[in-house]
Amino acid sequence: MPFGGYASPEQIMRDRAEYARKGIARGRSVVVMQYADGILFVAPNPSKALHKISEIYDRIGFAAVGRYNEFESLRLAGIRYADINGYTFNRNDVTGRGLANLYAQQLGMIFTESIKSFEVEIVVAEVGEAAEDDQIYRITFDGSVFDEQGMAVIGGQADAVGGRLKERYVDGLPLPQALDAALTALTEPGGERPPVTQIEVAVLDRGREHRKFLRLTGPRLEKLLEAAKESQEGARQPVAEQAQEEQASAEQAPDTAPPIAPEGDIDTGSGE
């Protein structure tokens, strides 16, 4: 009697994980990072209708990579969860950690029980009253949750992008410099940055009243990029001037080499 081949549970889980990782890596990376006044989201995205970055609730933002229909269903589930809990109890009861746990449960159940796992990776970020209260959670396709500190990169070549971002990231960056750091990290070495029309940018601004989420587009985004360019050029100028001054001082410095004794016998003062 013919029968199908046997596959161990470990092998099945490995195959599902490999399948999901390959699907996620085919997309472009998304950067989520803290800046001086909140949390910044940046994603290369030529589409004007299909967003990778969205608002979930008053202080909570959402970013995702992978299959759009899959992470869109998760986004809508998160909005329903937030609306029901905020209406039934209190708006302050809706937290980024609660949403991260919800997504972890859903993705973990899908990964273990469904034939096909979701090809998604998401970030849930919540802006606090102060920078130390900000929260950034990264949730992977199998339901694992990671509490990220300062920044998170998902999708595409996440390791390479994350390495470039760490070289430029410092706490308390102003928004223009933070945006410049994110775009530099998302650009391959030697490559060109995507035009303004092909990037999606949003912030959770702790200074805004009630709803903290703000999408940056058009002239506002162009103004930020111009400010980042000016600050970058301003930072380079003192360095160049200092290098020129050091070179000039080195050229003008007197010769301090020790004197050379004249040729002939040396008088030792011994009288011999």
Side-chain angles (χ1 to χ4, degrees), residues 230-240:
E230 291 176 358
S231 65
Q232 193 175 24
E233 292 176 351
R236 288 174 182 166
Q237 186 173 0
V239 175

PDB file of all heavy atoms in Angstrom, residues 230-240:
ATOM      1  N   GLU A 230      22.024  70.521   4.122  1.00  0.00           N
ATOM      2  CA  GLU A 230      22.746  71.702   4.593  1.00  0.00           C
ATOM      3  C   GLU A 230      23.523  71.400   5.868  1.00  0.00           C
ATOM      4  O   GLU A 230      24.662  71.835   6.034  1.00  0.00           O
ATOM      5  CB  GLU A 230      21.764  72.837   4.829  1.00  0.00           C
ATOM      6  CG  GLU A 230      21.155  73.404   3.558  1.00  0.00           C
ATOM      7  CD  GLU A 230      20.116  74.459   3.835  1.00  0.00           C
ATOM      8  OE1 GLU A 230      19.855  74.711   5.042  1.00  0.00           O
ATOM      9  OE2 GLU A 230      19.561  75.022   2.885  1.00  0.00           O
ATOM     10  N   SER A 231      22.911  70.648   6.789  1.00  0.00           N
ATOM     11  CA  SER A 231      23.606  70.320   8.032  1.00  0.00           C
ATOM     12  C   SER A 231      24.799  69.415   7.774  1.00  0.00           C
ATOM     13  O   SER A 231      25.836  69.529   8.431  1.00  0.00           O
ATOM     14  CB  SER A 231      22.643  69.646   9.009  1.00  0.00           C
ATOM     15  OG  SER A 231      22.208  68.399   8.509  1.00  0.00           O
ATOM     16  N   GLN A 232      24.657  68.529   6.793  1.00  0.00           N
ATOM     17  CA  GLN A 232      25.764  67.641   6.457  1.00  0.00           C
ATOM     18  C   GLN A 232      26.925  68.431   5.858  1.00  0.00           C
ATOM     19  O   GLN A 232      28.087  68.210   6.208  1.00  0.00           O
ATOM     20  CB  GLN A 232      25.282  66.581   5.466  1.00  0.00           C
ATOM     21  CG  GLN A 232      26.257  65.432   5.277  1.00  0.00           C
ATOM     22  CD  GLN A 232      25.661  64.354   4.383  1.00  0.00           C
ATOM     23  OE1 GLN A 232      24.774  64.610   3.582  1.00  0.00           O
ATOM     24  NE2 GLN A 232      26.144  63.158   4.516  1.00  0.00           N
ATOM     25  N   GLU A 233      26.620  69.383   4.975  1.00  0.00           N
ATOM     26  CA  GLU A 233      27.668  70.217   4.399  1.00  0.00           C
ATOM     27  C   GLU A 233      28.301  71.112   5.462  1.00  0.00           C
ATOM     28  O   GLU A 233      29.508  71.354   5.455  1.00  0.00           O
ATOM     29  CB  GLU A 233      27.082  71.071   3.268  1.00  0.00           C
ATOM     30  CG  GLU A 233      26.668  70.248   2.054  1.00  0.00           C
ATOM     31  CD  GLU A 233      25.999  71.099   0.994  1.00  0.00           C
ATOM     32  OE1 GLU A 233      25.725  72.286   1.297  1.00  0.00           O
ATOM     33  OE2 GLU A 233      25.731  70.595  -0.110  1.00  0.00           O
ATOM     34  N   GLY A 234      27.483  71.611   6.403  1.00  0.00           N
ATOM     35  CA  GLY A 234      28.010  72.433   7.471  1.00  0.00           C
ATOM     36  C   GLY A 234      28.934  71.659   8.391  1.00  0.00           C
ATOM     37  O   GLY A 234      29.900  72.203   8.930  1.00  0.00           O
ATOM     38  N   ALA A 235      28.648  70.362   8.573  1.00  0.00           N
ATOM     39  CA  ALA A 235      29.514  69.540   9.417  1.00  0.00           C
ATOM     40  C   ALA A 235      30.836  69.243   8.715  1.00  0.00           C
ATOM     41  O   ALA A 235      31.876  69.108   9.359  1.00  0.00           O
ATOM     42  CB  ALA A 235      28.804  68.246   9.779  1.00  0.00           C
ATOM     43  N   ARG A 236      30.802  69.138   7.387  1.00  0.00           N
ATOM     44  CA  ARG A 236      32.025  68.838   6.652  1.00  0.00           C
ATOM     45  C   ARG A 236      32.975  70.038   6.602  1.00  0.00           C
ATOM     46  O   ARG A 236      34.195  69.889   6.613  1.00  0.00           O
ATOM     47  CB  ARG A 236      31.683  68.420   5.214  1.00  0.00           C
ATOM     48  CG  ARG A 236      31.038  67.042   5.112  1.00  0.00           C
ATOM     49  CD  ARG A 236      30.611  66.790   3.692  1.00  0.00           C
ATOM     50  NE  ARG A 236      29.941  65.510   3.557  1.00  0.00           N
ATOM     51  CZ  ARG A 236      29.234  65.171   2.487  1.00  0.00           C
ATOM     52  NH1 ARG A 236      29.118  66.013   1.473  1.00  0.00           N
ATOM     53  NH2 ARG A 236      28.650  63.980   2.418  1.00  0.00           N
ATOM     54  N   GLN A 237      32.415  71.261   6.560  1.00  0.00           N
ATOM     55  CA  GLN A 237      33.248  72.448   6.371  1.00  0.00           C
ATOM     56  C   GLN A 237      34.247  72.644   7.509  1.00  0.00           C
ATOM     57  O   GLN A 237      35.428  72.876   7.247  1.00  0.00           O
ATOM     58  CB  GLN A 237      32.347  73.673   6.216  1.00  0.00           C
ATOM     59  CG  GLN A 237      33.132  74.935   5.858  1.00  0.00           C
ATOM     60  CD  GLN A 237      32.207  76.087   5.552  1.00  0.00           C
ATOM     61  OE1 GLN A 237      30.992  75.936   5.603  1.00  0.00           O
ATOM     62  NE2 GLN A 237      32.779  77.229   5.244  1.00  0.00           N
ATOM     63  N   PRO A 238      33.847  72.586   8.809  1.00  0.00           N
ATOM     64  CA  PRO A 238      34.861  72.746   9.869  1.00  0.00           C
ATOM     65  C   PRO A 238      35.949  71.693   9.821  1.00  0.00           C
ATOM     66  O   PRO A 238      37.111  71.970  10.114  1.00  0.00           O
ATOM     67  CB  PRO A 238      34.022  72.628  11.155  1.00  0.00           C
ATOM     68  CG  PRO A 238      32.637  72.972  10.750  1.00  0.00           C
ATOM     69  CD  PRO A 238      32.502  72.479   9.354  1.00  0.00           C
ATOM     70  N   VAL A 239      35.584  70.467   9.442  1.00  0.00           N
ATOM     71  CA  VAL A 239      36.583  69.410   9.346  1.00  0.00           C
ATOM     72  C   VAL A 239      37.608  69.739   8.263  1.00  0.00           C
ATOM     73  O   VAL A 239      38.819  69.582   8.446  1.00  0.00           O
ATOM     74  CB  VAL A 239      35.903  68.047   9.072  1.00  0.00           C
ATOM     75  CG1 VAL A 239      36.946  66.971   8.842  1.00  0.00           C
ATOM     76  CG2 VAL A 239      34.996  67.674  10.230  1.00  0.00           C
ATOM     77  N   ALA A 240      37.118  70.211   7.112  1.00  0.00           N
ATOM     78  CA  ALA A 240      38.031  70.558   6.021  1.00  0.00           C
ATOM     79  C   ALA A 240      38.915  71.738   6.413  1.00  0.00           C
ATOM     80  O   ALA A 240      40.118  71.755   6.123  1.00  0.00           O
ATOM     81  CB  ALA A 240      37.226  70.890   4.761  1.00  0.00           C
TER      82      ALA A 240
END
